[in-house]
């Protein structure tokens, strides 16, 4: 979404919006958040209401990478799922491969994240698999 309402009811373009502002949908008036990435222009997105993040806001580059990984492992005859949800750790693995009785979790990262986030994700996935990439 390229425009939103401010708290005072003025329309603002995502390109000129500031990160700390509060924004609302011009149609349904629910809260929005300002999003910006390394490869995408600024935009507004509805704030999720206690739902796990789904792939709806993933970059095109991220989706293509996951699809290529999935297709590669499928050609090898392995069981593969993308965005597999692990309820015990409340995380979705980008690509999950089952082979020889083992689970392999592959995180495909396109946007920058902190080292501590990488460590936390790795730790979490190690609770369900000894193979984390």
């Amino acid at each position: 979404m390229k425009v939103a309402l401010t708290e005072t009811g003025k329309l603002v373009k995502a390109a000129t919006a500031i990160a700390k502002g509060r924004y609302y949908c011009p149609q349904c008036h629910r809260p929005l958040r300002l999003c910006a990435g390394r490869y995408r222009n600024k935009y507004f997105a509805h704030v999720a209401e206690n739902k796990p993040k789904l792939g709806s806001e993933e970059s095109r580059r991220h989706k293509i990478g996951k699809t290529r990984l999935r297709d590669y492992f499928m050609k090898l005859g392995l069981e593969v799922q993308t965005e597999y949800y692990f309820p015990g750790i409340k995380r979705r693995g980008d690509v999950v491969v089952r082979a020889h009785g083992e689970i392999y979790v592959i995180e495909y990262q396109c946007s920058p994240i902190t080292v501590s986030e990488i460590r936390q994700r790795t730790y979490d996935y190690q609770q369900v698999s000894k193979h984390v990439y």
Side-chain angles (χ1 to χ4, degrees), residues 34-69:
L34 180 62
C35 303
R38 187 174 181 182
Y39 301 102
R40 295 180 77 174
N41 293 330
K42 286 183 179 180
Y43 63 97
F44 293 105
H46 282 91
V47 175
E49 298 172 3
N50 298 326
K51 297 177 187 171
K53 280 191 177 179
L54 301 176
S56 62
E57 294 180 29
E58 293 178 346
S59 71
R60 182 174 182 270
R61 178 185 226 190
H62 186 78
K63 289 178 187 177
I64 290 170
K66 287 192 314 184
T67 300
R68 286 182 178 170
L69 284 167

